[in-house]
Amino acid sequence: MTPDEQRRTYLAQFAITSHLGDRLTAAKRNAERAGGTPDADRCQTVWRQASDRLTRWLQEQQLDEDTVSEVSDAFLQAMEDGYTLVMHTGEGGEADTYLDLRQRAAVTREWLRDQGYSVPAYPREPGL
Protein backbone atom coordinates (compact mmCIF):
# COMPACT_ATOMS: atom_id res chain seq x y z
CA MET A 1 0.00 0.00 0.00
CA THR A 2 1.38 3.40 -0.96
CA PRO A 3 1.62 6.24 1.57
CA ASP A 4 -1.28 7.99 -0.18
CA GLU A 5 -3.42 4.86 0.03
CA GLN A 6 -2.52 4.49 3.71
CA ARG A 7 -3.50 8.11 4.37
CA ARG A 8 -6.83 7.64 2.60
CA THR A 9 -7.53 4.42 4.47
CA TYR A 10 -6.77 6.04 7.81
CA LEU A 11 -8.88 9.09 6.95
CA ALA A 12 -11.86 6.99 5.86
CA GLN A 13 -11.66 4.67 8.87
CA PHE A 14 -11.37 7.62 11.23
CA ALA A 15 -14.34 9.38 9.58
CA ILE A 16 -16.50 6.24 9.80
CA THR A 17 -15.53 5.65 13.43
CA SER A 18 -16.32 9.28 14.29
CA HIS A 19 -19.70 9.12 12.55
CA LEU A 20 -20.69 5.87 14.25
CA GLY A 21 -19.51 7.23 17.62
CA ASP A 22 -21.56 10.38 17.14
CA ARG A 23 -24.62 8.28 16.26
CA LEU A 24 -24.11 6.18 19.41
CA THR A 25 -23.82 9.29 21.58
CA ALA A 26 -27.00 10.76 20.08
CA ALA A 27 -28.88 7.46 20.44
CA LYS A 28 -27.83 7.14 24.08
CA ARG A 29 -28.92 10.70 24.81
CA ASN A 30 -32.29 10.10 23.13
CA ALA A 31 -32.80 6.84 25.03
CA GLU A 32 -32.04 8.53 28.34
CA ARG A 33 -34.44 11.38 27.59
CA ALA A 34 -37.17 8.98 26.46
CA GLY A 35 -37.18 7.02 29.72
CA GLY A 36 -40.75 6.43 30.86
CA THR A 37 -42.30 7.64 27.61
CA PRO A 38 -44.05 5.63 24.88
CA ASP A 39 -40.89 6.04 22.75
CA ALA A 40 -38.60 4.48 25.36
CA ASP A 41 -38.50 0.98 23.83
CA ARG A 42 -37.82 2.28 20.33
CA CYS A 43 -35.06 4.58 21.59
CA GLN A 44 -33.46 1.72 23.54
CA THR A 45 -33.50 -0.39 20.37
CA VAL A 46 -31.89 2.39 18.34
CA TRP A 47 -29.23 2.80 21.05
CA ARG A 48 -28.50 -0.94 21.04
CA GLN A 49 -28.27 -0.97 17.24
CA ALA A 50 -25.89 2.00 17.26
CA SER A 51 -23.74 0.27 19.85
CA ASP A 52 -23.71 -2.96 17.84
CA ARG A 53 -22.75 -1.12 14.65
CA LEU A 54 -19.85 0.68 16.30
CA THR A 55 -18.67 -2.48 18.07
CA ARG A 56 -18.76 -4.51 14.86
CA TRP A 57 -16.87 -1.78 13.03
CA LEU A 58 -14.21 -1.49 15.72
CA GLN A 59 -13.73 -5.24 16.10
CA GLU A 60 -14.15 -6.50 12.54
CA GLN A 61 -14.00 -3.43 10.27
CA GLN A 62 -17.33 -4.64 8.86
CA LEU A 63 -20.43 -2.64 7.98
CA ASP A 64 -23.88 -3.96 7.12
CA GLU A 65 -25.84 -2.54 4.19
CA ASP A 66 -27.94 -0.23 6.37
CA THR A 67 -24.83 1.19 8.03
CA VAL A 68 -23.09 1.72 4.68
CA SER A 69 -26.16 3.51 3.40
CA GLU A 70 -26.38 5.68 6.53
CA VAL A 71 -22.67 6.56 6.46
CA SER A 72 -22.70 7.19 2.72
CA ASP A 73 -25.78 9.43 2.99
CA ALA A 74 -24.28 11.37 5.90
CA PHE A 75 -21.08 12.01 3.98
CA LEU A 76 -23.04 12.86 0.85
CA GLN A 77 -24.91 15.47 2.88
CA ALA A 78 -21.59 16.84 4.16
CA MET A 79 -20.35 17.09 0.57
CA GLU A 80 -23.51 18.88 -0.52
CA ASP A 81 -23.34 21.27 2.43
CA GLY A 82 -19.69 21.99 1.63
CA TYR A 83 -20.45 22.55 -2.02
CA THR A 84 -23.31 24.92 -1.20
CA LEU A 85 -21.24 26.91 1.29
CA VAL A 86 -18.27 27.22 -1.05
CA MET A 87 -20.53 28.36 -3.90
CA HIS A 88 -22.05 31.06 -1.69
CA THR A 89 -18.99 32.24 0.24
CA GLY A 90 -15.97 31.54 -1.94
CA GLU A 91 -12.68 30.11 -0.75
CA GLY A 92 -12.11 31.92 2.55
CA GLY A 93 -13.08 31.54 6.17
CA GLU A 94 -15.53 28.77 6.96
CA ALA A 95 -15.50 27.64 3.36
CA ASP A 96 -12.01 26.18 3.90
CA THR A 97 -13.35 24.01 6.71
CA TYR A 98 -16.17 22.77 4.50
CA LEU A 99 -13.77 22.12 1.64
CA ASP A 100 -11.82 19.87 4.00
CA LEU A 101 -15.01 18.12 5.16
CA ARG A 102 -16.10 17.71 1.56
CA GLN A 103 -12.78 16.15 0.62
CA ARG A 104 -12.93 13.84 3.65
CA ALA A 105 -16.45 12.78 2.66
CA ALA A 106 -15.35 12.05 -0.91
CA VAL A 107 -12.34 10.02 0.28
CA THR A 108 -14.54 8.02 2.65
CA ARG A 109 -17.14 7.28 -0.01
CA GLU A 110 -14.41 6.24 -2.46
CA TRP A 111 -12.78 4.03 0.19
CA LEU A 112 -16.12 2.32 0.84
CA ARG A 113 -16.41 1.61 -2.90
CA ASP A 114 -12.86 0.22 -2.91
CA GLN A 115 -13.89 -2.14 -0.10
CA GLY A 116 -16.69 -3.51 -2.28
CA TYR A 117 -19.59 -1.64 -0.73
CA SER A 118 -22.29 -0.25 -3.00
CA VAL A 119 -21.99 3.54 -2.80
CA PRO A 120 -23.57 5.50 -5.64
CA ALA A 121 -21.48 8.07 -7.48
CA TYR A 122 -22.20 11.72 -6.85
CA PRO A 123 -21.66 14.11 -9.78
CA ARG A 124 -20.03 16.82 -7.66
CA GLU A 125 -17.59 14.59 -5.77
CA PRO A 126 -14.25 16.38 -5.80
CA GLY A 127 -11.43 14.67 -7.63
CA LEU A 128 -9.28 12.47 -5.46
Side-chain angles (χ1 to χ4, degrees), residues 71-85:
V71 168
S72 175
D73 290 349
F75 287 116
L76 179 61
Q77 186 62 51
M79 287 170 46
E80 186 63 32
D81 292 347
Y83 179 81
T84 301
L85 183 66

Side-chain angles (χ1 to χ4, degrees), residues 13-109:
Q13 290 174 344
F14 179 80
I16 291 167
T17 302
S18 293
H19 173 77
L20 294 175
D22 291 348
R23 298 293 296 159
L24 176 59
T25 300
K28 179 182 178 189
R29 188 176 326 117
N30 289 340
E32 289 169 349
R33 289 179 182 163
T37 69
D39 253 3
D41 288 341
R42 185 189 62 76
C43 289
Q44 286 290 326
T45 299
V46 170
W47 181 16
R48 241 184 331 275
Q49 289 172 342
S51 178
D52 292 345
R53 286 176 171 181
L54 179 59
T55 299
R56 184 172 182 214
W57 169 249
L58 292 173
Q59 291 176 350
E60 304 170 22
Q61 298 287 295
Q62 294 291 318
L63 302 168
D64 60 36
E65 284 183 35
D66 290 339
T67 304
V68 170
S69 179
E70 175 190 315
V71 168
S72 175
D73 290 349
F75 287 116
L76 179 61
Q77 186 62 51
M79 287 170 46
E80 186 63 32
D81 292 347
Y83 179 81
T84 301
L85 183 66
V86 168
M87 293 306 293
H88 290 291
T89 64
E91 293 291 325
E94 281 187 35
D96 290 337
T97 301
Y98 280 95
L99 280 172
D100 184 49
L101 291 173
R102 192 168 165 241
Q103 187 69 28
R104 185 176 304 164
V107 167
T108 302
R109 288 170 52 84

